[in-house]
Amino acid sequence: MAVAARKGRTTASPHASITTTAWPGFLDSWLSRIPLPKWALISVAVAVAILLVLFLICIIRCCCGKKKPKKKERINVCGISNSTTASLVQPEMEDLERGVEQMRRGKLQYSLEYNFRTQELKVGVKQAVDLKAMDSGGTSDPYVIVYLTSDMKKRYETKVYRKTLNPIFNESFTFQVPQAEVPESTLVMQIYDFNRFAKHDIIGEVRLPLASVNLQHVIEQWSELAEASKVEEEQLGEICFSLRYVPSTGKLTVLILEARKLKRMDSHGLSDPFVKVHLILNRKKWKKKKTSVKKNTLSPYFNELFVFEVPFSQIQNVDVVISVWDHDKVTKNEPIGKLFLGCRATGNQLRHWSDMLSNTRRPLAQWHILQPPDVVDKALGLKSHLKLRLASR
């Protein structure tokens, strides 16, 4: 029986080996059908495997690697141990202090007192501290210029104090300011460094709009000096007038209505304004008319009408010059400001003129800002007076 058992095991082994080698045999038979060398098949298999791995990695990162939304990151400079990194994030304290010192220009103490009965503003320049050093020796020679933007022609100056950054001025100045004009005025106090042989350098300034100040009480306060702003252009005032043109009759009508905020021309802070209307034809003076004089006012009301005959064929060649003058009995009349309208004009003046031509027979009123007389004369490029020839009989 033992022999029979051994025989049975011997005969059974071939069948067992066939069962274990059936899959490799099938794979070999399948690969043998592909007309490629074995090394090429191995390369393709490796490439496919790599692509599958990369694809799986991408899926895992997209599905499982989503980051939570970050909150606003705050850099804790104290927690940074690396000194190089800390210097990149936070500037040196010495640099910050140096920058603050360069911006710091000092402080100015001043007082304000307005007398409603006499309509006078009294400005007291008290003292300054910690002024910026402008000289090579680390000091300055400061003095203060005081003026109002509503009357820049009238300026006051304090004495010059040598080699100090903490001058005590204790000087006061009085401005004549009508109560109605107080809200429109700004008090300017500028501190300069005096130089005998060079241009005086400005250290800083304080600008105080009077509309923001309660002048019912005496005010005394300190203010930080700021960087000086650009010098503002002198305000000459504004004028309102209407234009009307009727092509069929050739009549150009100019109605001078009123003016406001005119420049002060007289010593008492007012003016005696009147208005001239000139017609310029082909850059030569042609016709002119003027209003009556309004005494002692910076906001005159005229409501005076002037009619000029201008043929439709000449309307494109005509400039209308509006000028405001200060009347003076003793000396020569002085111009306060001018402007001109016509096809050569620009800005609001050209727009007003164009609207008049587009809306014939209809009067159109508009406010205009007065410009310096010399600027307008230069823009007009006036020639000699127009001399009209008499028709020969």
Side-chain angles (χ1 to χ4, degrees):
M1 291 180 64
V3 174
R6 283 195 299 269
K7 287 182 180 178
R9 284 195 296 268
T10 304
T11 56
S13 58
H15 294 284
S17 62
I18 292 171
T19 304
T20 55
T21 58
W23 170 250
F26 172 76
L27 183 62
D28 290 339
S29 62
W30 183 75
L31 291 175
S32 63
R33 297 177 183 177
I34 300 175
L36 288 175
K38 194 171 184 179
W39 61 268
L41 293 175
I42 295 172
S43 300
V44 171
V46 171
V48 171
I50 292 173
L51 290 174
L52 288 174
V53 171
L54 293 175
F55 182 70
L56 290 174
I57 291 173
C58 291
I59 292 175
I60 293 171
R61 289 188 65 181
C62 292
C63 298
C64 304
K66 289 184 178 179
K67 296 182 179 179
K68 296 180 179 180
K70 291 184 178 180
K71 297 181 179 179
K72 292 184 178 178
E73 296 182 357
R74 295 181 181 178
I75 299 175
N76 185 3
V77 179
C78 299
I80 299 176
S81 58
N82 190 320
S83 60
T84 305
T85 308
S87 65
L88 292 174
V89 176
Q90 183 184 40
E92 295 290 338
M93 293 305 297
E94 294 179 0
D95 296 337
L96 289 175
E97 292 174 359
R98 193 179 301 114
V100 172
E101 287 179 1
Q102 289 178 355
M103 293 175 62
R104 188 180 296 126
R105 300 172 183 275
K107 293 183 178 181
L108 178 67
Q109 185 188 29
Y110 56 91
S111 65
L112 295 177
E113 182 179 358
Y114 186 74
N115 190 320
F116 288 88
R117 183 177 59 83
T118 60
Q119 298 192 3
E120 291 178 341
L121 177 68
K122 186 178 180 180
V123 180
V125 181
K126 303 294 185 180
Q127 60 180 322
V129 295
D130 300 329
L131 293 180
K132 182 179 178 181
M134 305 297 287
D135 299 337
S136 57
T139 62
S140 295
D141 302 321
Y143 70 96
V144 184
I145 292 180
V146 185
Y147 66 91
L148 293 171
T149 55
S150 57
D151 188 10
M152 294 172 55
K153 210 170 183 179
K154 191 171 187 179
R155 296 174 179 236
Y156 293 106
E157 294 184 14
T158 67
K159 296 178 182 178
V160 178
Y161 289 81
R162 300 286 184 179
K163 299 185 183 301
T164 178
L165 300 179
N166 302 287
I168 299 176
F169 300 103
N170 282 334
E171 297 186 42
S172 60
F173 311 102
T174 302
F175 296 90
Q176 191 75 34
V177 188
Q179 186 176 346
E181 298 178 14
V182 169
E184 301 174 359
S185 300
T186 298
L187 175 65
V188 182
M189 293 169 284
Q190 297 177 324
I191 301 184
Y192 281 83
D193 173 48
F194 176 83
N195 290 307
R196 186 175 296 276
F197 302 108
K199 183 181 179 181
H200 299 181
D201 298 318
I202 187 166
I203 299 174
E205 71 176 14
V206 173
R207 284 181 175 261
L208 185 66
L210 298 183
S212 64
V213 180
N214 183 9
L215 294 176
Q216 298 288 340
H217 310 283
V218 178
I219 297 171
E220 186 170 318
Q221 61 187 18
W222 287 88
S223 290
E224 290 275 355
L225 291 174
E227 183 180 2
S229 58
K230 295 180 180 180
V231 179
E232 58 265 65
E233 294 182 0
E234 189 174 21
Q235 300 298 316
L236 303 176
E238 300 174 73
I239 185 170
C240 181
F241 55 88
S242 74
L243 298 176
R244 178 175 180 261
Y245 183 67
V246 182
S248 58
T249 60
K251 291 188 182 297
L252 174 64
T253 304
V254 181
L255 174 61
I256 305 297
L257 293 169
E258 59 181 315
R260 64 188 180 191
K261 301 179 184 178
L262 294 180
K263 177 183 174 182
R264 295 176 174 88
M265 302 296 289
D266 299 338
S267 57
H268 57 274
L270 296 173
S271 297
D272 302 321
F274 67 96
V275 180
K276 288 183 181 180
V277 182
H278 279 86
L279 258 59
I280 310 297
L281 178 61
N282 296 324
R283 303 195 179 189
K284 296 180 181 179
K285 291 182 180 180
W286 185 24
K287 301 176 181 181
K288 70 174 180 179
K289 295 183 181 182
K290 64 180 180 179
T291 67
S292 58
V293 177
K294 305 299 179 180
K295 296 287 186 179
N296 299 326
T297 179
L298 299 178
S299 300
Y301 181 76
F302 298 100
N303 196 27
E304 298 186 32
L305 185 71
F306 305 109
V307 180
F308 300 91
E309 291 187 3
V310 181
F312 182 70
S313 60
Q314 297 289 353
I315 194 65
Q316 299 290 343
N317 303 320
V318 167
D319 297 309
V320 178
V321 181
I322 309 292
S323 57
V324 182
W325 294 71
D326 174 50
H327 176 74
D328 201 312
K329 292 181 179 179
V330 180
T331 60
K332 188 178 179 181
N333 297 337
E334 294 183 85
I336 298 176
K338 289 184 178 183
L339 61 96
F340 79 96
L341 303 94
C343 295
R344 296 192 294 141
T346 58
N348 288 330
Q349 288 80 17
L350 178 59
R351 188 177 298 110
H352 194 178
W353 186 259
S354 301
D355 290 344
M356 178 199 72
L357 296 178
S358 301
N359 299 273
T360 55
R361 302 176 181 275
R362 177 183 170 190
L364 296 172
Q366 187 173 322
W367 281 95
H368 292 274
I369 298 175
L370 293 172
Q371 302 171 9
D374 55 341
V375 173
V376 176
D377 291 342
K378 185 177 180 181
L380 286 169
L382 298 180
K383 299 179 182 179
S384 58
H385 291 282
L386 178 66
K387 295 180 180 180
L388 299 176
R389 293 182 179 178
L390 295 175
S392 57
R393 294 183 179 179

